[in-house]
Amino acid sequence: MEHVPPPAEELALLDRELARLDARRMQLLTRRAWLLSVLQPPATPPAAPPGRPGPAAFTPSFPSAAPVPPRSAQNVLLTLGGLLLTIAAIAFTLVSWGQMGIGGRSAVLALVTVAALATPAVLLRRGLSSTAESLGALALVLMVLDAYALHRVAAPDTGGLGFASAASAVLAVLWAAYGLALGKLRLPLPMAVVSVQFTLVLWTWAVGAQASVFAGALLLTAALDCAIALRGKGVAVRTTAAVGGCLAGAAGLLVALALSVTAGTPAAAVAPGALLLAGAAVALFGVWRAPKEFAVAGGLSAGLAVVAGVGGVLRAGAAADWSVPVYLLCGLVLLTAVRAPLPRPAGQGVLWASGVVVAGSVLSAAPAVGMTLMGPVSRLTAVWSGVPQGRARGALGLEGMEWSQLSTAPVILLVVAGLTGAAYRWWAWCVRAAGAVVSPGAAWRGAAGASALVLGWAGLLVLPVSLDAPYAVAVAVQALLVAALLAVTVRAVRLGAGPVASAALVCAVVGAVSAGTLSLAVEPATYGVFGALLVLFGAAAVVTRADAARVTRLMQAVSACAAVVCAMVLAGALGASLELATYRAAPLMLVVPTVTVLLGARLRGGPPTLPVELTGAVAGVVAVAMAVPDAPFLALVLALCGVLAAGTAVRAERRPAAGYLAVVLFVLATWVRLSASDVSAPEAYTLPVTLPALVVGVLRRRRDPAASSWTAYGAGLAATLVPSVFAAWADPSWVRPLLLGLAALVITLAGARLRLQALLLLGGAVLAMDALHELAPYVIQVVGALPRWLPPALAGLLLLVVGATYEQRLRDARRVKDALGRMR
């Protein structure tokens, strides 16, 4: 019978629940104590002696400082005293040493050191622990100075590194014995641990050992630290040993890793590999009983060391291109640690190490994927220019690049994709197999499925380029991948697999962009690929069942918009094939928004309706941009766009936005047509439109007094006022500006009197533009006559005034805004 959940997980749950109960109990006890203090009556203060004022007779006008705790003050004084004595001892040893004979020097240091070592024992028996700690610290410093003095006097010819190595070992033993003898002193034992860190390292440095011996010394030191951390006396000793072990072990593993990576033969990689395996053993030994976070970190370090050690030997015997797959294989084998007899946190760290190796391998293949996706972009300036050498790399612009280092990218991606896909398929078995180490939830399964899909797509995408397949094969593979991804997206949406569906949809869109840009090298390929993509995305949008799920709506909208974009590309390609000028091809582009308008009327508010119509509007904007070089064609395109907008405005849900847009487009088309015909008096053409439009506006306002003035009068007034402004600016005579100014003044006053926003703003804007036109020559003359420094000074003064009265100006702006908002 299988225990669910596993005993280790159940024990962790119980521990967390007990911790929460303890915290709740402490909270309740604190609240109970406060309630008791509230209910008890305050103690009566003692009466003041006769002749002296009571406690309330005098209250100082400043708050009294909190008294310094006696223990804190004592510690500060003792610390300062010990520090001063230490500085004095160092100064005596380094500065005044040469002023005394050898007997005097030895006697002084010996007496002071013995006194400093013996005094803490006496102080501890009398309960003066803080003073004992200060003198004990001084004694440790004096012992270091004794070692330095011994080297200078007794062994001056001995190498400094070798003597320092021996001295660190001796001091570590002496300090450990001293700390054990005086158990109440907290500093000697941690200092003994610190001292022992330098013994082996300094020794290997002194004898000039090789880098592998240096790494071994570091790992031996780390092993000793692990033993002390597990069996040491006191928290300070164990903490110091743990920190030292982490630093020494990390340094040793880094040195061994560098030796393993640079080894040229398997024989040369054996010794670094053995060191890495030894470091892994030390890491696992050190975290066997460590807290969870340290245990996970230790397991991670051990797993990475095992992969580096074994993979380094195998890599040295393989080809240079296969180095990453070798390490990947070792990282995958590391997954078997789920059955190893390791503590649960350490096992989790080993699994994390396997994940890090796999992620690093995938990242090493990322440049190949990036070049495959971004390569066609470099050839956008040479559309339909052919494919160099007829191969895939030539179409990507990679024919001159060194590809050998990336040739294994498809293998890495497909292997990892296969494993993550197998985990997604047999998820229940994987959870049971890893139950003793990890307990992944349902979200992890979705991530595994999405990762398998993305990596598999990337591996198949890179495969034709890695093999330098023919261009037609590369294009066909990318198009087939898009079709397969869309099929997976539709199926995943129906099954409710959200992460897989989202990943497939993103990959399909990116793959479509890549396939489309790759097909631009040859004209037939362009029509074939974009035609296929149009059918595929359109079919995906149609076969997806409409429901309220977010993924479904996203799938339909993205597929429909992608189909519209493909249609835009086909329309542009058709114009290029017919060898039409850019502006003459603009009406062909308008076929796309025409179809989207009809589709919008057919879908009637479905999820993809608005995205499809907006994408069609983008096609209309592209058509307008294409027609800009020729004014008559631009007027035609604007008028056709206005017809499409008017057709969209027939639907009630699109009427407000599409109606305004249609009016604007028709007016723009009229202005452009007048400008293209070199009409010098546009009023002759615009006034016959403006007057009936204003009459219609008046009738509309009578029937619906709540109607906006922009709806009733905006289009009619703009049809005449705006072209007249441009004509007035180009007219050297004074008659047109005068008449236009009078008309604008009348319209502005009428808008202010009747509280009509459209009349007020349009008339005021035209009046301001007309006045600026008339005053511009005089302003230029005045500015030319002024000193160069005066305009910046006036601008600065204006900014200062506005800044000083900023709040008032802001209130004025709000009042103007509110007044305009109240108008119709």
Side-chain angles (χ1 to χ4, degrees):
M1 180 177 178
E2 187 176 359
H3 193 285
V4 179
E9 184 177 355
E10 185 177 1
L11 179 60
L13 292 174
L14 292 176
D15 290 340
R16 288 195 293 270
E17 187 64 28
L18 290 173
R20 283 195 292 268
L21 290 175
D22 290 339
R24 181 59 178 167
R25 183 174 182 275
M26 290 300 298
Q27 182 182 2
L28 293 176
L29 288 175
T30 304
R31 182 65 178 177
R32 180 178 181 276
W34 181 82
L35 291 173
L36 289 176
S37 66
V38 171
L39 293 176
Q40 290 176 355
T44 304
R52 293 187 181 181
F58 174 74
T59 302
S61 60
F62 53 88
S64 59
V68 179
R71 181 65 63 180
S72 300
Q74 180 187 16
N75 291 335
V76 171
L77 293 176
L78 291 175
T79 302
L80 291 176
L83 181 62
L84 291 176
L85 288 175
T86 302
I87 294 173
I90 295 173
F92 169 77
T93 305
L94 298 178
V95 179
S96 302
W97 187 257
Q99 300 177 3
M100 300 178 63
I102 186 170
R105 292 193 296 249
S106 302
V108 170
L109 277 179
L111 288 175
V112 174
T113 304
V114 170
L117 289 172
T119 304
V122 179
L123 295 175
L124 287 174
R125 284 197 297 268
R126 296 189 176 185
L128 301 175
S129 58
S130 299
T131 309
E133 287 287 352
S134 299
L135 290 178
L138 176 62
L140 300 182
V141 175
L142 289 175
M143 293 179 72
V144 175
L145 296 178
D146 285 336
Y148 169 74
L150 182 63
H151 176 259
R152 292 291 302 273
V153 175
D157 298 330
T158 305
L161 293 176
F163 187 87
S165 173
S168 65
V170 173
L171 288 176
V173 173
L174 293 178
W175 287 348
Y178 185 66
L180 292 174
L182 301 178
K184 292 184 179 181
L185 290 182
R186 293 174 292 180
L187 192 59
L189 290 178
M191 292 304 299
V193 176
V194 173
S195 179
V196 81
Q197 307 298 312
F198 304 99
T199 301
L200 293 177
V201 176
L202 292 176
W203 174 76
T204 54
W205 195 356
V207 300
Q210 297 179 352
S212 57
V213 179
F214 186 76
L218 288 170
L219 293 177
L220 284 176
T221 304
L224 178 60
D225 289 331
C226 291
I228 297 174
L230 292 176
R231 303 293 181 182
K233 180 182 178 182
V235 177
V237 174
R238 291 195 295 270
T239 303
T240 305
V243 174
C246 291
L247 295 177
L253 289 176
L254 288 176
V255 174
L257 177 63
L259 295 175
S260 176
V261 171
T262 57
T265 60
V270 170
L275 289 174
L276 289 168
L277 294 178
V282 170
L284 291 177
F285 169 71
V287 301
W288 199 267
R289 297 180 181 178
K292 180 180 178 180
E293 291 76 10
F294 289 98
V296 172
L300 174 63
S301 302
L304 293 177
V306 170
V307 172
V310 178
V313 177
L314 298 177
R315 176 206 58 80
D321 299 347
W322 290 86
S323 299
V324 177
V326 166
Y327 285 112
L328 174 62
L329 178 62
C330 296
L332 294 176
V333 172
L334 202 63
L335 291 173
T336 58
V338 295
R339 292 298 185 183
L342 295 173
R344 182 181 175 90
Q348 292 176 355
V350 174
L351 290 183
W352 277 110
S354 177
V356 169
V357 174
V358 173
S361 303
V362 171
L363 287 177
S364 69
V369 180
M371 286 191 291
T372 303
L373 292 175
M374 301 302 297
V377 177
S378 62
R379 296 182 54 82
L380 289 179
T381 56
V383 177
W384 293 355
S385 61
V387 180
Q389 303 177 2
R391 315 297 292 184
R393 296 182 189 175
L396 298 176
L398 305 175
E399 65 274 7
M401 296 183 61
E402 181 64 30
W403 192 264
S404 61
Q405 297 298 326
L406 303 174
S407 60
T408 58
V411 177
I412 296 170
L413 295 171
L414 293 176
V415 167
V416 179
L419 290 175
T420 51
Y424 177 78
R425 176 64 180 81
W426 293 286
W427 184 254
W429 179 86
C430 293
V431 171
R432 287 195 301 271
V437 180
V438 292
S439 301
W444 284 95
R445 185 188 183 191
S451 301
L453 190 142
V454 173
L455 294 175
W457 165 72
L460 294 175
L461 184 73
V462 175
L463 186 59
V465 185
S466 178
L467 299 176
D468 199 15
Y471 169 75
V473 174
V475 174
V477 167
Q478 292 203 15
L480 290 175
L481 284 176
V482 174
L485 288 169
L486 289 175
V488 171
T489 305
V490 174
R491 178 174 175 79
V493 167
R494 291 179 177 178
L495 296 177
V500 176
S502 301
L505 182 59
V506 172
C507 291
V509 173
V510 176
V513 174
S514 176
T517 52
L518 185 63
S519 69
L520 295 178
V522 180
E523 183 177 359
T526 301
Y527 285 104
V529 170
F530 279 100
L533 292 177
L534 173 61
V535 174
L536 289 173
F537 281 107
V542 171
V543 301
T544 304
R545 292 178 304 200
D547 55 29
R550 180 179 179 183
V551 176
T552 304
R553 296 197 304 271
L554 181 64
M555 165 69 184
Q556 287 185 325
V558 171
S559 300
C561 293
V564 175
V565 172
C566 294
M568 292 170 57
V569 176
L570 288 175
L574 180 60
S577 298
L578 296 176
E579 297 182 355
L580 298 176
T582 303
Y583 64 89
R584 292 185 179 273
L588 293 177
M589 185 63 66
L590 288 179
V591 175
V592 178
T594 303
V595 175
T596 58
V597 169
L598 297 176
L599 282 176
R602 175 67 179 84
L603 295 175
R604 281 289 179 178
T609 304
L610 182 60
V612 167
E613 291 178 336
L614 291 177
T615 311
V618 172
V621 173
V622 173
V624 171
M626 293 171 63
V628 166
D630 188 83
F633 259 89
L634 178 60
L636 174 63
V637 171
L638 288 172
L640 293 176
C641 290
V643 172
L644 294 177
T648 305
V650 173
R651 295 155 49 197
E653 69 274 11
R654 298 285 185 262
R655 185 165 301 156
Y660 286 120
L661 180 61
V663 172
V664 171
L665 289 172
F666 282 132
V667 172
L668 286 176
T670 303
W671 293 345
V672 173
R673 181 68 259 183
L674 293 175
S675 175
S677 301
D678 294 330
V679 174
S680 59
E683 295 82 3
Y685 298 91
T686 58
L687 282 176
V689 176
T690 296
L691 295 177
L694 293 178
V695 172
V696 172
V698 171
L699 296 177
R700 170 70 184 277
R701 289 273 297 172
R702 287 183 178 179
R703 182 178 301 177
D704 183 14
S708 171
S709 61
W710 291 100
T711 304
Y713 309 117
L717 290 174
T720 297
L721 290 178
V722 176
S724 297
V725 168
F726 287 102
W729 273 71
D731 192 350
S733 176
W734 57 272
V735 178
R736 184 191 301 273
L738 177 59
L739 295 177
L740 179 62
L742 292 175
L745 179 60
V746 171
I747 294 172
T748 304
L749 295 176
R753 176 67 180 84
L754 301 176
R755 303 182 61 81
L756 297 176
Q757 189 180 102
L759 276 66
L760 178 64
L761 294 183
L762 281 174
V766 172
L767 184 61
M769 295 292 294
D770 189 66
L772 180 61
H773 171 264
E774 294 302 310
L775 295 177
Y778 304 102
V779 172
I780 294 174
Q781 293 178 5
V782 171
V783 171
L786 291 176
R788 296 295 181 91
W789 56 266
L790 188 57
L794 294 176
L797 182 61
L798 177 62
L799 291 177
L800 288 177
V801 173
V802 173
T805 59
Y806 176 75
E807 295 295 335
Q808 181 62 37
R809 302 288 79 77
L810 199 60
R811 287 192 293 270
D812 294 341
R814 290 196 187 101
R815 284 197 293 269
V816 172
K817 177 184 175 183
D818 295 339
L820 289 175
R822 288 191 294 269
M823 292 183 177
R824 288 294 180 182

